[in-house]
């Protein structure tokens, strides 16, 4: 019975989303070839989803429609598509190779273009259904940053920039990047914790500055930015440095995540601080937390703490300097580091933010000796020495870097302060949204290929069939909009890949036909056969490389 349940779960969670996604994209692509071939009066002999042995088929007119065993592609078999075959004069009117070169270009181009058009429809569906996205409310503002100096505060909600209404963070980010060095006038709403009562409107003028573009998938090396302005807040994971504090005595521990206080949902550190300040005068608080202990199942616990006016009096603090992850077979674990330790200093230099830890470790020089970490554990200070290890890692920008590491990770987790649901108002607006999203994603994917050629993005980011299956399953669980969105992105990938000038792909055939149009005569059969063989080798190599990347990630 357990085996049957596992098979059922696998089918519903993994296989079904993958088959629906890949099947639709293949069907749409081949339908493009099929429809234009029919329009040009070419006889279509086979329309197949998949390759290999046919497991289901029926015949209508002169065409066999079938589903084949290997679901990794599809094909449309057209009469006369083999230029070496002899076609009787009476059947040349329905032969692919006897159509003029522009008709053949149209038939080949139709498949990729259908994938592009399908992406527009899918994104339009996302717009109509609604998509959860980042709202225009500010998260944590780093002290001393340009945003802090300008007067922004955590929790401010951006209402307008230079008079233009802002409804999502993407609109805020775009307005800043396209400021071209001109001063921006922000209208923000600033109020009390989770209420519009006593909310005030503030006007903040700030001049964005050029900075290095953190997004490697853009062509611009520099963009306009306001340092410290972000929609992300640190989550409500806490640290407790003092074992005599009211929080510790009540039962709270470092790395606990507060999920609600007095039955009010808590997500971020801003929520914790704001709630305690807003509820001054209460005798006690009921705090519910989530706690992870090593490999044990996550626990949900509730504690009663005194009604103190601030997080400082309670004895809790942000967890950003606490260790939450220890990598096996790395120096820190061997040296005795533990989960929940707080990093106080390295080589007697006080640590105020985790970036200092990363920079100090990465700049390690063997001749200077081990790094001396000062830690706090269970209220007591201790000192451990560790020698970093050199590792090659993949950065968030998709690049490979060699860095020194000790094998520790901080309890820095971020959440969006106030997510919103974006929905397009009406059918025609959704098509406009779909077009813009498709164009934007096409640019991003083309740039990613270009950056790979420049070696600025690692080719290890290329995924194969297992990666597609994984993202199909994960987005299917998240809901309709995420699933449609990833389907649209993969459809755009198919549009671009099929247009690559590799013989055997649609792009390779287009090159042959364009050369024929320019020369006035087709290439010789021998040259096309050699090109097809080279194309097959290139395609198999790319598929093998993608498969290798998939297996490496799983392993």
């Amino acid at each position: 019975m357990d085996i049957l349940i596992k098979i059922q779960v696998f089918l519903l969670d993994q296989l079904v989303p993958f088959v629906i996604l890949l099947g639709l994209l293949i069907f749409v692509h081949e339908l493009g070839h099929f429809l234009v071939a029919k329009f040009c009066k070419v006889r279509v002999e086979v329309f197949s989803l998949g390759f290999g042995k046919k497991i289901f088929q029926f015949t209508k007119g002169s065409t066999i429609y079938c589903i084949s065993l290997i679901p990794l592609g599809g094909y449309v078999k057209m009469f006369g598509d083999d230029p070496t075959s002899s076609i009787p004069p009476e059947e040349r009117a329905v032969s692919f190779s006897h159509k003029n070169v522009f008709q053949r270009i149209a038939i080949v181009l139709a498949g990729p273009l259908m994938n592009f058009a399908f992406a527009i429809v899918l994104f339009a569906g996302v717009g109509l259904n609604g998509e959860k996205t980042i709202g225009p409310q500010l998260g944590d503002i780093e002290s001393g940053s340009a945003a802090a100096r300008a007067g922004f505060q955590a929790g401010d909600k951006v209402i307008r920039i230079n008079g233009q209404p802002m409804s999502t963070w993407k609109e805020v980010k775009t307005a800043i990047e396209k400021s071209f060095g001109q001063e921006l006038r922000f209208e923000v709403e600033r109020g009390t914790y989770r209420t519009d009562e006593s909310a005030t409107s503030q006007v903040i003028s700030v001049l964005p500055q050029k900075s290095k573009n953190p997004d490697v998938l853009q062509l611009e090396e520099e963009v306009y930015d306001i340092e410290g302005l972000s929609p992300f807040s640190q989550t409500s994971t806490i640290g407790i440095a003092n074992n005599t504090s009211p929080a510790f005595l009540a039962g709270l521990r470092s790395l606990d995540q507060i999920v609600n206080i007095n039955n009010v949902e808590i997500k971020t550190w801003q929520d914790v601080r704001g709630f305690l300040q807003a509820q001054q005068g209460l005798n006690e608080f009921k705090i519910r937390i989530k706690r992870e202990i090593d490999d044990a199942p996550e626990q949900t616990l509730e504690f009663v703490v005194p009604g103190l006016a601030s997080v400082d009096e309670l004895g809790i603090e942000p967890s950003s300097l606490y260790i939450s992850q220890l990598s096996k077979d790395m120096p820190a674990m061997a040296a005795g580091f533990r989960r929940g330790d707080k990093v106080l200093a390295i080589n007697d230099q006080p640590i105020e933010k985790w970036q200092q830890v990363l920079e100090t470790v990465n700049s390690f020089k063997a001749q200077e000796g081990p790094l001396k970490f000062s830690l706090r554990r269970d209220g007591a200070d201790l000192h451990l020495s560790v020698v970093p290890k050199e590792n090659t890692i993949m950065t968030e920008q998709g690049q490979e870097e060699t860095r020194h590491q000790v094998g520790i990770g901080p309890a820095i987790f971020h959440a969006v302060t106030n997510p919103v649901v974006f929905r397009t108002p009406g059918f025609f607006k959704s098509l406009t949204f779909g077009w813009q999203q498709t164009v934007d994603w096409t640019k991003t994917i083309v740039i990613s290929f270009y950056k790979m050629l420049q070696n600025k993005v690692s080719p290890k980011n290329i995924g194969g069939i297992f990666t597609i299956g994984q993202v199909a399953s994960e987005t299917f669980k998240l809901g309709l909009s995420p699933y449609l969105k990833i389907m649209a992105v993969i459809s755009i990938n198919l549009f671009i890949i099929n247009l690559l000038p590799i013989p055997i792909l649609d792009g390779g055939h287009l090159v042959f036909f364009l050369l024929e149009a320019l020369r006035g005569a087709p290439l010789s059969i021998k040259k096309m056969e050699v090109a097809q063989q080279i194309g097959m080798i290139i395609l198999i190599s790319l598929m093998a490389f993608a498969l290798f990347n998939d297996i490496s990630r799983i392993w």
Side-chain angles (χ1 to χ4, degrees), residues 18-134:
F18 170 72
V19 170
I20 292 173
L21 184 145
L22 200 60
L24 273 175
L25 295 183
I26 293 169
F27 173 76
V28 165
H29 181 91
E30 300 305 333
L31 183 65
H33 294 311
F34 175 82
L35 292 176
V36 177
K38 285 287 192 180
F39 180 80
C40 294
K41 294 184 170 50
V42 174
R43 184 196 303 162
V44 178
E45 297 179 331
V46 182
F47 184 107
S48 176
L49 296 180
F51 297 108
K53 185 178 179 180
K54 298 177 178 65
I55 56 176
F56 171 79
Q57 68 178 51
F58 68 91
T59 303
K60 185 175 181 181
S62 59
T63 305
I64 298 172
Y65 301 87
C66 63
I67 297 175
S68 300
L69 185 61
I70 305 172
L72 303 181
Y75 64 92
V76 171
K77 175 71 173 67
M78 288 173 276
F79 177 71
D81 59 2
D82 181 0
T84 63
S85 61
S86 178
I87 306 296
E90 64 274 14
E91 293 198 282
R92 289 177 182 174
V94 293
S95 167
F96 174 79
S97 58
H98 286 82
K99 295 298 177 182
N100 68 57
V101 67
F102 298 106
Q103 288 176 311
R104 280 176 280 150
I105 287 173
I107 292 169
V108 170
L109 194 58
L113 288 180
M114 276 291 280
N115 280 125
F116 186 87
F118 190 49
I120 296 173
V121 173
L122 291 169
F123 276 124
V126 172
L128 286 172
N129 186 63
E131 179 185 19
K132 199 171 185 179
T133 188
I134 303 172

Side-chain angles (χ1 to χ4, degrees), residues 14-286:
Q14 304 288 332
L15 195 58
V16 170
F18 170 72
V19 170
I20 292 173
L21 184 145
L22 200 60
L24 273 175
L25 295 183
I26 293 169
F27 173 76
V28 165
H29 181 91
E30 300 305 333
L31 183 65
H33 294 311
F34 175 82
L35 292 176
V36 177
K38 285 287 192 180
F39 180 80
C40 294
K41 294 184 170 50
V42 174
R43 184 196 303 162
V44 178
E45 297 179 331
V46 182
F47 184 107
S48 176
L49 296 180
F51 297 108
K53 185 178 179 180
K54 298 177 178 65
I55 56 176
F56 171 79
Q57 68 178 51
F58 68 91
T59 303
K60 185 175 181 181
S62 59
T63 305
I64 298 172
Y65 301 87
C66 63
I67 297 175
S68 300
L69 185 61
I70 305 172
L72 303 181
Y75 64 92
V76 171
K77 175 71 173 67
M78 288 173 276
F79 177 71
D81 59 2
D82 181 0
T84 63
S85 61
S86 178
I87 306 296
E90 64 274 14
E91 293 198 282
R92 289 177 182 174
V94 293
S95 167
F96 174 79
S97 58
H98 286 82
K99 295 298 177 182
N100 68 57
V101 67
F102 298 106
Q103 288 176 311
R104 280 176 280 150
I105 287 173
I107 292 169
V108 170
L109 194 58
L113 288 180
M114 276 291 280
N115 280 125
F116 186 87
F118 190 49
I120 296 173
V121 173
L122 291 169
F123 276 124
V126 172
L128 286 172
N129 186 63
E131 179 185 19
K132 199 171 185 179
T133 188
I134 303 172
Q137 191 162 357
L138 303 185
D140 298 333
I141 304 294
E142 186 177 342
S143 60
S145 66
R149 293 194 301 271
F152 290 102
Q153 293 182 12
D156 285 352
K157 182 179 180 181
V158 180
I159 305 300
R160 295 178 189 83
I161 299 179
N162 287 355
Q164 294 297 315
M166 297 288 126
S167 57
T168 67
W169 180 255
K170 185 177 180 180
E171 293 174 347
V172 175
K173 185 171 179 287
T174 301
I176 295 171
E177 289 181 350
K178 295 187 180 300
S179 62
F180 303 111
Q182 301 297 313
E183 187 175 75
L184 297 179
R185 186 175 183 271
F186 283 74
E187 294 177 50
V188 302
E189 189 177 82
R190 182 174 298 164
T192 57
Y193 175 72
R194 287 189 174 176
T195 177
D196 290 332
E197 295 175 10
S198 304
T200 59
S201 179
Q202 305 284 327
V203 176
I204 300 173
S205 295
V206 61
L207 183 66
Q209 300 295 320
K210 270 194 173 182
S211 63
K212 185 178 179 182
N213 191 350
D215 188 355
V216 73
L217 297 182
Q218 290 185 10
L219 290 176
E220 297 84 0
E221 296 293 331
E222 292 183 320
V223 292
Y224 286 96
D225 185 33
I226 300 172
E227 179 204 10
L229 208 65
S230 163
F232 299 106
S233 291
Q234 187 163 326
T235 61
S236 52
T237 303
I238 63 170
I240 299 177
N242 190 339
N243 284 13
T244 62
S245 66
F248 184 89
L249 296 175
L252 297 174
R253 296 294 180 263
S254 294
L255 304 188
D256 286 347
Q257 183 184 1
I258 298 175
V259 293
N260 72 53
I261 305 177
N262 290 356
N263 295 320
V264 175
E265 184 182 24
I266 299 293
K267 290 184 178 180
T268 68
W269 183 251
Q270 280 188 44
D271 290 346
V272 177
R273 187 183 295 277
F275 185 90
L276 293 177
Q277 290 175 347
Q279 302 296 325
Q280 292 184 34
L282 293 182
N283 292 325
E284 63 182 26
F285 293 115
K286 289 182 180 179

Side-chain angles (χ1 to χ4, degrees), residues 337-375:
F337 286 64
R338 291 184 192 171
R339 188 173 182 270
D341 290 348
K342 180 182 180 181
V343 179
L344 301 176
I346 304 177
N347 292 342
D348 297 324
Q349 295 296 316
I351 298 297
E352 296 179 356
K353 53 186 180 180
W354 194 262
Q355 186 64 28
Q356 293 173 260
V357 178
L358 297 177
E359 291 171 356
T360 304
V361 172
N362 196 39
S363 60
F364 167 76
K365 293 180 176 59
Q367 62 269 24
E368 295 177 359
L371 296 178
K372 297 176 182 178
F373 276 73
S374 297
L375 307 173

Side-chain angles (χ1 to χ4, degrees), residues 322-341 343 346 354 357-358 360-362 364 371 373 375 385-391 393 403-411:
Y322 287 76
I323 296 171
S324 70
Q325 301 168 29
L326 282 166
S327 301
K328 292 181 179 179
D329 303 321
M330 289 293 286
M333 182 173 282
F337 286 64
R338 291 184 192 171
R339 188 173 182 270
D341 290 348
V343 179
I346 304 177
W354 194 262
V357 178
L358 297 177
T360 304
V361 172
N362 196 39
F364 167 76
L371 296 178
F373 276 73
L375 307 173
S385 295
V386 62
V387 176
K389 180 180 178 181
E390 203 169 61
N391 273 340
I393 67 163
R403 293 181 183 174
H404 284 102
Q405 294 181 307
V406 295
I408 58 175

